[in-house]
């Protein structure tokens, strides 16, 4: 795992996820391997039947020369035609967007996990946090009860 977009899982309700290849230059791959990437402001847009990743920050490679890349350029995503068509039709619905969730390497190739998502309202975010906190507290209580039971 090179980079994760934790904010996307907080701000959006994830409907469906896809794995997409990335078209990168050599210095981008080397910079990705150093692991200083940020997806916080990233989003996916479909233009002319092609999926593009915008605003993903891959910093310049330090040992790169004049062949270095710009940090926030748009990058092409490699998806099947049916997936692109499905994403495009769903993204045009009100409140839906396509966000990047993670960047990682799989068999030596850079991959992006993208998701079709619906924006959460503020009260939904609070409710999700409350449920997560309640789950954590109940797990702690169960673990403490088991420890106490083993001790007797």
């Amino acid at each position: 795992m090179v980079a994760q977009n934790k904010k996307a899982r907080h701000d959006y309700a994830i409907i469906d996820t896809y794995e997409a290849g990335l078209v990168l230059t050599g210095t981008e791959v080397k910079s990705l391997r150093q692991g200083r990437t940020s997806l916080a402001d990233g989003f996916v847009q479909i233009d002319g039947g092609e999926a593009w990743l915008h605003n993903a920050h891959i910093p310049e490679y330090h040992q790169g020369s004049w062949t270095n890349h710009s940090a926030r350029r748009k990058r092409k995503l490699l998806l099947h035609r049916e997936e692109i068509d499905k994403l495009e039709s769903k993204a045009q619905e009100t409140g839906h967007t396509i966000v990047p969730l993670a960047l990682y390497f799989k068999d030596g190739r850079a991959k992006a996990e993208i998701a079709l998502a619906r924006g959460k309202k503020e009260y939904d975010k609070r409710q999700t946090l409350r449920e997560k906190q309640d789950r954590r507290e109940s797990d702690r209580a169960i673990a403490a009860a088991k420890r106490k039971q083993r001790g007797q």
Side-chain angles (χ1 to χ4, degrees):
M1 187 72 61
V2 176
Q4 242 183 342
N5 190 354
K6 293 180 182 177
K7 188 173 181 168
R9 292 195 187 272
H10 179 262
D11 292 341
Y12 298 98
I14 306 301
I15 297 169
D16 201 6
T17 60
Y18 299 89
E19 181 180 72
L22 278 166
V23 176
L24 300 173
T25 64
T27 55
E28 286 175 322
V29 174
K30 291 179 180 184
S31 185
L32 269 179
R33 291 202 185 273
Q34 290 179 344
R36 298 177 295 123
T37 305
S38 171
L39 293 173
D41 300 329
F43 64 96
V44 176
Q45 195 171 34
I46 310 247
D47 288 331
E50 296 178 336
W52 295 89
L53 176 63
H54 293 267
N55 280 355
H57 184 265
I58 300 176
E60 290 186 353
Y61 183 59
H62 288 305
Q63 282 113 6
S65 59
W66 56 273
T67 59
N68 232 335
H69 62 280
S70 63
R72 289 206 182 263
R73 76 176 187 93
K74 68 179 189 175
R75 294 162 180 93
K76 188 174 181 179
L77 293 173
L78 303 173
L79 289 162
H80 291 285
R81 170 64 43 210
E82 303 87 44
E83 292 174 333
I84 292 174
D85 292 341
K86 183 178 177 183
L87 280 171
E88 186 174 22
S89 66
K90 293 283 188 176
Q92 289 174 352
E93 293 177 17
T94 306
H96 288 81
T97 187
I98 309 167
V99 293
L101 297 177
L103 284 178
Y104 54 92
F105 284 99
K106 183 177 179 181
D107 298 328
R109 300 187 189 276
K111 302 286 183 177
E113 182 182 14
I114 62 172
L116 179 65
R118 184 179 5 85
K120 285 185 183 177
K121 303 279 190 247
E122 195 63 38
Y123 58 85
D124 288 336
K125 293 178 192 178
R126 285 194 300 267
Q127 183 177 357
T128 304
L129 284 174
R130 193 174 306 118
E131 288 171 358
K132 188 176 179 181
Q133 187 177 11
D134 291 344
R135 241 182 286 119
R136 189 178 301 133
E137 287 176 3
S138 67
D139 290 344
R140 283 184 187 152
I142 291 170
K146 285 183 179 179
R147 278 194 304 269
K148 186 176 179 182
Q149 188 178 21
R150 273 188 259 140
Q152 290 179 351

